[in-house]
Amino acid sequence: MTLPAKLVISVIIPVHNGGASFRYCLSSLANAMPAPAEIIVVADGDTDGSWLVAKEFGAKVLRIPTSGGPAKARNLGARAAIGDILFFIDADVTITPDAIGKVEKAFSDEPELAALIGSYDDAPGASNFLSQYKNLFHHYTHQTAKEEAFTFWGACGAIRREIFLGLGGFDESYRRPSIEDIELGYRLKNAGYKIRLCKDLQVKHLKYWGIVSLLKAEIFYRALPWTELIWRDRQLSNDLNLGLNSRLSVILTYGLVISLLAAWWSPGFLAVAFVLGFLLFVLNLQVYRFFHHKRGFWFALRVIPWHWLYYLYGGLAFVIGTARYIFSVRFA
């Protein structure tokens, strides 16, 4: 009996001025057992010598003189890869020593599997509140989602090389870190391919989030383009951030805000606001229990206003993104 050939894994990392986090990323790959067949680093117009750090760790380095975005960088790395499986990770994450083995096993056990994604772990690298909140919320969202995924994820996602290249790779029109990975996932699903969320494949995110950087990324690089993508592909499935609870929470949050504003003229609306706030809290109680379990009562209490703000700007971005999509279609 002939045993099936062992799958070859190529790790691909786009980097633009990766700093200390990038060194931690490469250090974690150096400790991987088994090791990947190759590590390809695409230096996307970096000016801090990240490509030299990659050379120091023995990675194959490709350089782009002017930054073109992670989609372009990942595509360049994919075309140069030798592996059967392309394992994309971000330059600001670290992997566990067994991550490569988990990826290889998943594809070996499921020949029909086209792609898989992992999640952030529950111990983010940056210690400030917003970084902990943002990354823990991401962890919670993925860990409570269905294993049949509808999107891809570039921070920790693997795909069969022949399928990736056959679909044309990432859409390079996304010039910043945006939703190029989600867009690829939608094309995978529309082509009939299987994507699996592997909840035990987790990476540590080292990124520091501040108020401005968080809101800018969430609204302009994620929510707005994602809305337009949803309408383009008519992809309204209950996946990750698009579940029924999230939709109802957006409605309740706006009802709460309108009620509070109306209370300036008619105090009776305070009772309406209280009821809507209570319903919003109960609807998301599982989320707040998660944060309470992970970080304690006071942390969970601080999460609530940020979580409700998330529904506010998410709902607003959906309306604006919808208007932009309609305008672009009508006047194309």
Side-chain angles (χ1 to χ4, degrees):
M1 178 179 175
T2 303
L3 294 174
K6 188 176 179 65
L7 292 173
V8 177
I9 311 292
S10 295
V11 173
I12 299 172
I13 313 170
V15 61
H16 174 75
N17 296 343
S21 295
F22 182 48
R23 183 175 289 274
Y24 290 131
C25 173
L26 293 172
S27 295
S28 71
L29 281 162
N31 293 324
M33 291 294 293
E38 61 180 351
I39 300 171
I40 300 176
V41 171
V42 185
D44 184 30
D46 68 281
T47 58
D48 71 342
S50 290
W51 70 277
L52 292 172
V53 177
K55 284 282 190 183
E56 178 185 328
F57 278 86
K60 178 178 181 180
V61 177
L62 306 174
R63 300 182 68 189
I64 302 175
T66 304
S67 178
K72 180 178 180 179
R74 291 189 184 110
N75 286 345
L76 182 62
R79 289 192 291 269
I82 62 171
D84 308 296
I85 306 297
L86 308 176
F87 184 22
F88 296 102
I89 63 172
D90 279 348
D92 60 1
V93 305
T94 61
I95 67 167
T96 56
D98 60 355
I100 303 300
K102 286 181 178 179
V103 171
E104 196 277 331
K105 185 176 187 305
F107 284 100
S108 295
D109 290 350
E110 297 184 64
E112 75 282 4
L113 184 66
L116 63 81
I117 60 174
S119 76
Y120 290 141
D121 67 13
D122 60 356
S127 61
N128 66 307
F129 170 75
L130 277 182
S131 299
Q132 291 284 310
Y133 158 69
K134 167 67 175 172
N135 292 307
L136 281 169
F137 189 32
H138 185 285
H139 171 81
Y140 169 84
T141 301
H142 278 219
Q143 291 299 308
T144 56
K146 297 176 182 177
E147 289 193 359
E148 180 187 359
F150 287 81
T151 60
F152 193 67
W153 189 41
C156 177
I159 184 171
R160 295 188 189 273
R161 183 174 183 271
E162 60 184 29
I163 292 175
F164 179 83
L165 296 178
L167 286 175
F170 292 101
D171 184 344
E172 296 184 11
S173 66
Y174 295 101
R175 300 296 298 274
R176 295 179 179 272
S178 184
I179 59 159
E180 69 280 352
D181 46 3
I182 297 172
E183 193 275 339
L184 173 62
Y186 284 3
R187 277 188 283 133
L188 280 165
K189 294 302 290 187
N190 289 337
Y193 290 114
K194 179 181 178 181
I195 310 171
R196 182 156 70 85
L197 169 58
C198 298
K199 298 182 181 183
D200 64 340
L201 176 63
Q202 299 182 19
V203 294
K204 183 181 300 297
H205 197 202
L206 306 178
K207 185 178 179 66
Y208 176 94
W209 288 107
I211 294 176
V212 174
S213 62
L214 176 65
L215 294 178
K216 186 177 180 181
E218 290 272 89
I219 297 171
F220 296 103
Y221 302 155
R222 301 287 289 181
L224 285 173
W226 195 351
T227 297
E228 296 181 52
L229 179 62
I230 287 170
W231 287 117
R232 188 198 78 178
D233 285 20
R234 296 297 189 269
Q235 183 59 263
L236 290 166
S237 58
N238 290 338
D239 182 56
L240 297 178
N241 305 66
L242 303 178
L244 181 59
N245 269 23
S246 295
R247 302 179 200 185
L248 290 175
S249 293
V250 170
I251 295 171
L252 288 172
T253 304
Y254 273 87
L256 173 61
V257 170
I258 293 169
S259 298
L260 289 173
L261 292 174
W264 283 94
W265 290 273
S266 177
F269 277 98
L270 284 174
V272 177
F274 176 82
V275 171
L276 293 175
F278 177 76
L279 291 174
L280 184 58
F281 177 81
V282 171
L283 189 61
N284 292 277
L285 187 57
Q286 185 178 352
V287 178
Y288 307 140
R289 282 176 173 167
F290 164 80
F291 280 105
H292 178 263
H293 173 71
K294 293 294 182 180
R295 294 294 183 272
F297 175 80
W298 292 111
F299 190 98
L301 195 63
R302 293 176 67 189
V303 162
I304 294 174
W306 276 99
H307 192 215
W308 292 6
L309 177 63
Y310 159 77
Y311 288 131
L312 276 176
Y313 64 68
L316 179 61
F318 186 82
V319 171
I320 295 173
T322 299
R324 282 172 43 169
Y325 174 78
I326 294 172
F327 182 85
S328 66
V329 169
R330 182 168 295 181
F331 296 99

